[in-house]
Amino acid sequence: MATPAGLERWVQDELHSVLGLSERHVAQFLIGTAQRCTSAEEFVQRLRDTDTLDLSGPARDFALRLWNKVPRKAVVEKPARAAEREARALLEKNRSYRLLEDSEESSEETVSRAGSSLQKKRKKRKHLRKKREEEEEEEASEKGKKKTGGSKQQTEKPESEDEWERTERERLQDLEERDAFAERVRQRDKDRTRNVLERSDKKAYEEAQKRLKMAEEDRKAMVPELRKKSRREYLAKREREKLEDLEAELADEEFLFGDVELSRHERQELKYKRRVRDLAREYRAAGEQEKLEATNRYHMPKETRGQPARAVDLVEEESGAPGEEQRRWEEARLGAASLKFGARDAASQEPKYQLVLEEEETIEFVRATQLQGDEEPSAPPTSTQAQQKESIQAVRRSLPVFPFREELLAAIANHQVLIIEGETGSGKTTQIPQYLFEEGYTNKGMKIACTQPRRVAAMSVAARVAREMGVKLGNEVGYSIRFEDCTSERTVLRYMTDGMLLREFLSEPDLASYSVVMVDEAHERTLHTDILFGLIKDVARFRPELKVLVASATMDTARFSTFFDDAPVFRIPGRRFPVDIFYTKAPEADYLEACVVSVLQIHVTQPPGDILVFLTGQEEIEAACEMLQDRCRRLGSKIRELLVLPIYANLPSDMQARIFQPTPPGARKASANQRAGRAGRVAAGKCFRLYTAWAYQHELEETTVPEIQRTSLGNVVLLLKSLGIHDLMHFDFLDPPPYETLLLALEQLYALGALNHLGELTTSGRKMAELPVDPMLSKMILASEKYSCSEEILTVAAMLSVNNSIFYRPKDKVVHADNARVNFFLPGGDHLVLLNVYTQWAESGYSSQWCYENFVQFRSMRRARDVREQLEGLLERVEVGLSSCQGDYIRVRKAITAGYFYHTARLTRSGYRTVKQQQTVFIHPNSSLFEQQPRWLLYHELVLTTKEFMRQVLEIESSWLLEVAPHYYKAKELEDPHAKKMPKKIGKTREELG
DNA sequence: CAACCTCGT
């Protein structure tokens, strides 16, 4: 970043060379404008509006270069009503100016007005007091004829004299009070004037006026849309104005009459006013919500999102067939792009490679957008050990957040809740907690929590911050994730997964040991984050000193702001490295093929660097790798070396580690980058999207449906209930889950005995909440106490909670792998198979070699072991003793049934039906029971692929259901009409082995 | 006879 003077000179020079123009004020204007804009598009738009430059020619390019150079200002604002707020602020300032001019007069007026009101009140009060005294006197005189006490003597003094003295005294008092009152009014006006003087610098005033004008113009353009929803908005606006008046009135009332005794009527009036105010507030909140939803329905080009829509967008939305619309939009985008960048252009510049790609179909990319970076693209710095410490600090200073350190800290100090908006890589995650630490938020033994949706993120960020602060990880800076608590008593900066903080609510419902809670990556809207919002909002209300920071990418911040009672938004502009985004010119049919072609294309046409490809699944990744390697081999030495490395969750970890190793020089690693956010983190980059820009804007869902509206909520309900939140229907969800989902969860918990008929948590429910597994699993674990088989049940629970990734099935060894799997089969069902696998693995000494030989995934097993150990550690807390069934698997199966009686199916003549809902279901072909078809069974989960399949099934007897869940099943519905026709063949086999 | 599988306590 250049110094202001240097920057100005640079702009002047450029202006001169590009446009033959060298006026200083133009340069200043350009810089000033750029500083106030939040995106390059906005900047260009503004320039266009003001006709400063002819932006059709090289000036546009220059404008973009300028934009990249200018340090932008952070903005603290409430985006939901930015335009409205500005207008109101302007009006208020106008009023303030007037106040400044005639404040003396208005004070006098106020005093006389309020004075008379005071006198009225005083009179009333006097009247009331007199009346009361008279009543008392009457009472006393009737009662106390015999007693003639001192007090009585006083009142029996000569009446006229006494009366005169009293009124005189009161009049004096009144006068004094009136004087005091007048003084208070004067003081108030003086305060206001001072505030006005402080706030109103003229420039800001003019700026506000200009902005208001722009806002007005935007509004004008929105008229057609506005009309549609005008009624509601109009009402809301009126209500809002009313509310503001009312609030001012109430505030004055309290200020002026705060210590004057009010009559009952006046008190009622005040109460009524307050009630009206509260209602109006509610109404307003509802109105805003409505408005927001209405604006969200429109797919606006990203550049204008968050700002008032312009008429053009709306017109385009409404007119023409989709194809036509797409073409027009595409054209508009292409026209706007300053630079056309096609692979063909590049290839023609390097004829050597054109030959290589001749047979291949080339894919055309068009650069549509650039995400600006604040740094010039440059090679990543290579540093020696000695330089490292210095460079760490240099990197810290280079982060986009750094220039706003002071502003940010001030904003945090001034507001309890602050929404922080910034791109990935702006440094918000690593820097802000450090700033807070430096600022002393961790004094007095208080801690700072920073939540991440993912484990790796929590770990790596903590490690990074520890390095930056020069402390050992786990000391001052630590992380806390499931199975791994890398914190100590010294830890004040705690990075953790969101689920972890949620768990902490169980032990510390008010988060008393934290001074700041920062919810990071809020835009991801994970289930845990969403629930944290509701809980933290609650806590913040009764802990006014607790600071809440909600950090999000450039999305949804308006919603967060609204949710947290219009908390201000702090926008951190800029990103570290620029990322160019390229879109395909036409949609691709076979995207895997297209992807491979693009990689090669990129490989030969672009400067050296790594290529990162995002695909949807393991199979695709493997296929793509094969295709790439195959083609590279065919091309042989004609192209530079290409190193293809796959990465996906199920990949053995040593393979994963390979991608972090540095690339051999001249070679290039693992195609179209789907997420520009990931790139640009360490160095400048380019992002190729294998879909058209139109599709990006229109076909992809703007934001995915929040997790909370998709998943089963059993766990969540249990957790909230155990935190004492009973009224779940009115819990403060950012996006409330569907009513039915909540009801379903409540019913399920009731059936499991976690809730009583009043919906209150039972003791067993409290225990279930302690266990970090699904309610049915935890019920199963609790039941293992009764059947004395907790050792086995723990294993089953652990194995069930690692999802279907136990068996490894490489394509080239399918037969061996399937054989190995069948070898683990035990009669009874899949749960026992899982138990068998784990037991054998444990007997092998938890060996990885054993896993390899038996086609079992070591990583999954290790995870199962972790889960098992964690659960074992919690057994004591839920009062379950360790016990083993000693081979009596009936007991294990009964305990499982106690948790899963909800998930049962019976064999009918037309196949399997679930017992309660009569849904047609099938045993999954991978199940050990697939060929046996027992009459009664229990399943762990249903998966819908080609059919509704039961995965992980266990054979049970219907009588067990009555034993474990008598409240849920009636003997009659478990009767089997075909009992005599079908002998218990399988049952016998099982008993023999049992 | 089916093949999807991200993340978290």
Side-chain angles (χ1 to χ4, degrees):
Chain A
M1 275 182 210
T3 60
L7 184 67
E8 206 178 296
R9 221 173 307 120
W10 179 83
V11 175
Q12 263 181 283
D13 289 350
E14 289 283 310
L15 270 176
H16 188 71
S17 66
V18 177
L19 305 166
L21 203 109
S22 63
E23 285 166 70
R24 189 161 168 226
H25 77 267
V26 177
Q28 280 171 344
F29 170 79
L30 290 175
I31 294 170
T33 312
Q35 277 180 333
R36 281 191 302 275
C37 292
T38 51
S39 72
E41 282 70 21
E42 188 191 342
F43 178 51
V44 170
Q45 190 58 45
R46 281 225 197 174
L47 294 186
R48 201 167 275 151
D49 289 347
T50 51
D51 278 330
T52 323
L53 298 174
D54 174 18
L55 287 163
S56 55
R60 196 195 139 92
D61 199 44
F62 160 65
L64 287 177
R65 264 183 295 140
L66 168 66
W67 163 262
N68 279 334
K69 254 197 142 70
V70 170
R72 257 127 5 235
K73 287 186 173 148
V75 193
V76 186
E77 67 173 29
K78 298 175 184 179
R81 289 171 292 136
E84 236 105 345
R85 258 170 44 89
E86 265 163 20
R88 208 180 312 131
L90 181 73
L91 285 177
E92 199 199 324
K93 270 191 180 150
N94 259 330
R95 209 185 316 153
S96 310
Y97 275 124
R98 239 187 298 128
L99 192 73
L100 219 128
E101 284 156 21
D102 50 32
S103 60
E104 285 307 309
E105 220 178 293
S106 84
S107 291
E108 286 310 311
E109 268 174 25
T110 323
V111 172
S112 65
R113 190 159 35 83
S116 68
S117 147
L118 176 75
Q119 265 181 343
K120 260 187 240 162
K121 281 180 186 164
R122 177 76 48 212
K123 231 179 186 171
K124 262 185 226 160
R125 200 178 71 175
K126 221 190 298 176
H127 181 72
L128 283 172
R129 196 190 294 158
K130 204 170 169 187
K131 218 172 162 186
R132 201 163 52 223
E133 273 171 18
E134 274 169 15
E135 277 166 17
E136 270 169 26
E137 252 173 83
E138 251 174 69
E139 241 178 274
S141 62
E142 265 175 44
K143 262 191 189 172
K145 280 275 176 192
K146 296 162 206 168
K147 272 189 196 171
T148 41
S151 65
K152 199 117 203 225
Q153 295 261 293
Q154 273 180 13
T155 50
E156 275 171 10
K157 268 188 177 176
E159 237 185 293
S160 59
E161 196 188 325
D162 181 52
E163 180 71 46
W164 181 85
E165 206 177 273
R166 207 168 57 200
T167 42
E168 205 49 271
R169 204 170 48 231
E170 274 193 8
R171 209 157 66 198
L172 210 71
Q173 211 180 328
D174 264 0
L175 276 171
E176 270 169 21
E177 277 195 19
R178 202 188 140 145
D179 274 358
F181 174 76
E183 184 52 42
R184 279 209 297 274
V185 170
R186 244 173 248 128
Q187 189 60 42
R188 181 197 67 177
D189 284 353
K190 225 166 91 186
D191 283 351
R192 276 195 191 171
T193 319
R194 205 182 51 226
N195 284 341
V196 168
L197 283 171
E198 276 170 7
R199 270 181 306 170
S200 63
D201 84 73
K202 193 138 190 234
K203 236 167 131 187
Y205 176 71
E206 277 167 11
E207 177 61 25
Q209 222 164 7
K210 228 162 53 191
R211 291 211 124 192
L212 179 77
K213 225 176 185 174
M214 279 182 68
E216 269 172 4
E217 266 164 28
D218 278 344
R219 267 183 172 281
K220 244 185 253 165
M222 276 174 69
V223 166
E225 177 57 20
L226 274 176
R227 200 168 287 149
K228 271 191 219 161
K229 46 180 182 176
S230 64
R231 190 176 162 72
R232 173 162 284 129
E233 265 210 32
Y234 170 69
L235 287 177
K237 202 176 148 202
R238 256 195 18 194
E239 285 301 321
R240 210 156 46 222
E241 282 164 8
K242 241 200 261 174
L243 171 65
E244 273 161 22
D245 289 349
L246 200 63
E247 278 185 335
E249 204 180 315
L250 276 169
D252 270 5
E253 185 106 22
E254 266 155 35
F255 183 86
L256 300 173
F257 298 114
D259 50 356
V260 175
E261 193 188 338
L262 298 177
S263 74
R264 223 185 100 209
H265 174 72
E266 280 162 336
R267 271 204 307 272
Q268 251 175 4
E269 206 175 77
L270 196 70
K271 208 169 135 192
Y272 172 74
K273 273 185 191 168
R274 286 200 180 121
R275 176 88 189 110
V276 171
R277 179 190 60 184
D278 292 345
L279 274 174
R281 276 179 183 163
E282 270 177 42
Y283 187 94
R284 190 179 78 168
E288 289 293 337
Q289 187 54 39
E290 205 76 41
K291 204 169 102 189
L292 208 69
E293 273 164 17
T295 38
N296 277 347
R297 271 200 293 277
Y298 288 89
H299 304 276
M300 283 181 261
K302 204 176 178 185
E303 293 78 21
T304 52
R305 205 175 295 149
Q307 299 163 23
R310 297 203 168 74
V312 203
D313 304 324
L314 300 176
V315 170
E316 280 200 358
E317 182 72 23
E318 280 161 10
S319 73
E324 165 73 358
E325 188 189 335
Q326 170 172 0
R327 192 185 54 77
R328 287 222 321 261
W329 197 87
E330 211 70 63
E331 268 173 20
R333 292 307 311 145
L334 299 189
S338 57
L339 169 70
K340 287 199 177 134
F341 188 100
R344 227 169 239 167
D345 303 346
S348 62
Q349 282 159 19
E350 294 183 59
K352 196 166 68 165
Y353 292 126
Q354 202 177 12
L355 194 74
V356 171
L357 289 173
E358 216 169 32
E359 318 130 52
E360 315 278 355
E361 162 215 8
T362 36
I363 294 164
E364 281 188 84
F365 286 96
V366 174
R367 186 171 95 159
T369 349
Q370 186 189 29
L371 302 179
Q372 286 82 13
D374 288 340
E375 282 183 20
E376 299 288 326
S378 63
T382 45
S383 61
T384 63
Q385 288 262 318
Q387 285 173 329
Q388 215 154 20
K389 216 169 189 177
E390 176 55 34
S391 81
I392 281 180
Q393 292 311 313
V395 169
R396 277 193 71 186
R397 281 193 296 274
S398 75
L399 290 167
V401 69
F402 180 75
F404 310 113
R405 186 183 184 277
E406 304 311 320
E407 280 174 82
L408 182 68
L409 285 172
I412 292 171
N414 289 335
H415 305 279
Q416 186 181 16
V417 184
L418 191 68
I419 320 288
I420 299 168
E421 178 188 314
E423 295 270 359
T424 328
S426 60
K428 52 182 162 42
T429 312
T430 53
Q431 301 308 303
I432 294 173
Q434 286 189 71
Y435 295 164
L436 292 169
F437 170 78
E438 289 156 11
E439 194 72 2
Y441 280 91
T442 54
N443 294 348
K444 295 180 215 152
M446 296 299 263
K447 292 181 286 186
I448 294 172
C450 179
T451 73
Q452 298 290 322
R454 269 175 298 281
R455 294 159 54 90
V456 258
M459 287 163 69
S460 56
V461 170
R464 168 89 208 167
V465 172
R467 203 157 359 111
E468 284 183 14
M469 286 173 56
V471 299
K472 203 168 152 261
L473 184 62
N475 284 354
E476 280 77 8
V477 184
Y479 64 89
S480 171
I481 57 180
R482 191 182 183 184
F483 310 130
E484 238 184 295
D485 186 10
C486 186
T487 61
S488 62
E489 274 164 29
R490 291 168 63 182
T491 306
V492 286
L493 291 192
R494 257 171 98 105
Y495 287 89
M496 52 171 84
T497 45
D498 46 11
M500 202 67 194
L501 186 61
L502 210 53
R503 283 274 142 194
E504 281 199 10
F505 267 94
L506 276 177
S507 51
E508 198 179 57
D510 56 352
L511 300 178
S513 61
Y514 293 96
S515 58
V516 184
V517 175
M518 174 167 168
V519 181
D520 203 359
E521 312 290 350
H523 59 277
E524 293 206 18
R525 301 295 307 278
T526 65
L527 177 66
H528 298 301
T529 300
D530 269 22
I531 296 160
L532 275 182
F533 279 156
L535 293 174
I536 289 178
K537 192 175 165 183
D538 259 5
V539 172
R541 263 196 286 263
F542 61 81
R543 277 196 56 199
E545 80 287 359
L546 176 76
K547 296 291 182 187
V548 178
L549 305 178
V550 177
S552 163
T554 331
M555 281 166 90
D556 265 356
T557 41
R559 296 216 50 198
F560 298 136
S561 166
T562 317
F563 178 76
F564 282 103
D565 302 323
D566 289 329
V569 175
F570 192 97
R571 274 202 253 164
I572 303 166
R575 51 168 41 241
R576 264 197 79 192
F577 298 99
V579 177
D580 290 321
I581 298 180
F582 297 86
Y583 290 96
T584 50
K585 215 168 177 183
E588 292 295 333
D590 180 356
Y591 76 91
L592 205 61
E593 166 77 20
C595 170
V596 170
V597 175
S598 322
V599 172
L600 290 172
Q601 223 171 272
I602 295 163
H603 183 47
V604 296
T605 60
Q606 301 288 316
D610 296 340
I611 308 172
L612 198 59
V613 187
F614 288 90
L615 292 168
T616 52
Q618 177 173 345
E619 203 158 302
E620 272 182 6
I621 294 173
E622 279 169 357
C625 285
E626 263 171 47
M627 278 161 83
L628 265 177
Q629 267 156 352
D630 181 57
R631 277 177 213 212
C632 285
R633 229 174 294 127
R634 265 199 292 143
L635 293 168
S637 58
K638 278 189 275 186
I639 58 169
R640 278 165 294 177
E641 191 189 345
L642 187 72
L643 214 68
V644 186
L645 299 175
I647 181 161
Y648 42 83
N650 280 347
L651 203 73
S653 47
D654 56 318
M655 296 274 273
Q656 290 200 13
R658 277 174 70 193
I659 70 151
F660 296 113
Q661 291 159 10
T663 327
R668 201 198 279 266
K669 288 191 197 171
S671 79
N673 189 342
Q674 231 185 11
R675 286 154 65 175
R678 292 270 161 254
R681 192 172 269 191
V682 275
K686 296 193 173 77
C687 167
F688 295 84
R689 290 189 167 141
L690 278 175
Y691 36 83
T692 62
W694 189 86
Y696 174 71
Q697 298 290 347
H698 295 255
E699 284 170 16
L700 300 185
E701 277 192 52
E702 213 160 286
T703 44
T704 43
V705 180
E707 196 181 358
I708 197 168
Q709 298 187 335
R710 295 182 275 131
T711 39
S712 139
L713 293 176
N715 250 334
V716 170
V717 170
L718 199 56
L719 181 79
L720 292 179
K721 285 273 181 190
S722 59
L723 288 174
I725 294 155
H726 299 299
D727 187 8
L728 293 166
M729 297 297 167
H730 296 105
F731 181 71
D732 217 342
F733 291 111
L734 180 51
D735 278 303
Y739 179 80
E740 297 76 29
T741 322
L742 268 179
L743 216 60
L744 219 65
L746 287 167
E747 272 171 15
Q748 192 205 46
L749 289 172
Y750 173 68
L752 288 173
L755 303 175
N756 65 19
H757 64 287
L758 295 171
E760 294 161 346
L761 202 68
T762 61
T763 26
S764 104
R766 184 160 295 282
K767 288 178 188 172
M768 283 165 70
E770 293 280 337
L771 298 171
V773 288
D774 280 338
M776 291 195 287
L777 271 178
S778 41
K779 173 74 183 187
M780 171 178 106
I781 294 169
L782 292 186
S784 71
E785 168 78 359
K786 184 180 167 189
Y787 296 101
S788 327
C789 54
S790 57
E791 291 269 12
E792 287 81 7
I793 285 297
L794 279 185
T795 306
V796 172
M799 290 295 275
L800 285 174
S801 59
V802 298
N803 243 347
N804 313 320
S805 43
I806 303 286
F807 297 106
Y808 183 51
R809 200 167 181 263
K811 251 186 283 172
D812 48 340
K813 287 175 198 146
V814 173
V815 187
H816 295 270
D818 286 349
N819 267 335
R821 197 166 55 87
V822 172
N823 278 336
F824 288 110
F825 281 8
L826 280 187
D830 299 322
H831 296 71
L832 299 185
V833 174
L834 292 175
L835 178 60
N836 192 12
V837 172
Y838 189 90
T839 318
Q840 288 195 34
W841 179 57
E843 278 164 9
S844 82
Y846 307 108
S847 130
S848 60
Q849 184 60 31
W850 180 91
C851 289
Y852 183 75
E853 284 162 7
N854 292 282
F855 293 91
V856 166
Q857 303 236 31
F858 180 64
R859 262 158 46 91
S860 304
M861 294 307 291
R862 206 175 43 194
R863 200 185 138 75
R865 188 180 164 187
D866 283 339
V867 175
R868 196 186 183 285
E869 274 168 12
Q870 188 191 28
L871 291 175
E872 195 179 322
L874 288 166
L875 276 196
E876 208 179 318
R877 283 178 72 163
V878 296
E879 291 164 20
V880 173
L882 268 181
S883 52
S884 167
C885 70
Q886 309 293 340
D888 179 6
Y889 289 137
I890 299 275
R891 271 149 57 187
V892 177
R893 285 158 64 191
K894 280 189 177 175
I896 298 172
T897 314
Y900 281 83
F901 59 84
Y902 221 66
H903 281 180
T904 46
R906 79 188 326 163
L907 187 64
T908 68
R909 262 170 296 184
S910 54
Y912 280 103
R913 293 283 178 89
T914 55
V915 177
K916 282 282 176 179
Q917 300 87 5
Q918 300 293 322
Q919 189 187 1
T920 310
V921 288
F922 301 86
I923 299 182
H924 197 282
N926 275 349
S927 167
S928 62
L929 291 180
F930 181 63
E931 282 161 12
Q932 303 198 21
Q933 306 275 314
R935 273 186 314 182
W936 289 89
L937 48 81
L938 157 166
Y939 57 85
H940 177 244
E941 61 182 355
L942 281 183
V943 277
L944 178 68
T945 46
T946 52
K947 290 177 194 160
E948 196 78 58
F949 286 109
M950 298 178 279
R951 217 152 44 181
Q952 318 289 20
V953 293
L954 183 78
E955 189 196 352
I956 55 165
E957 277 174 34
S958 57
S959 60
W960 297 352
L961 293 174
L962 286 176
E963 184 182 325
V964 300
H967 58 292
Y968 192 70
Y969 287 105
K970 299 220 162 46
K972 208 167 178 193
E973 63 185 329
L974 298 177
E975 274 173 16
D976 200 328
H978 315 291
K980 278 167 192 167
K981 286 180 197 167
M982 297 174 77
K984 285 188 177 179
K985 189 184 117 199
I986 300 149
K988 268 178 194 156
T989 336
R990 187 202 59 238
E991 274 162 26
E992 281 159 23
L993 282 147

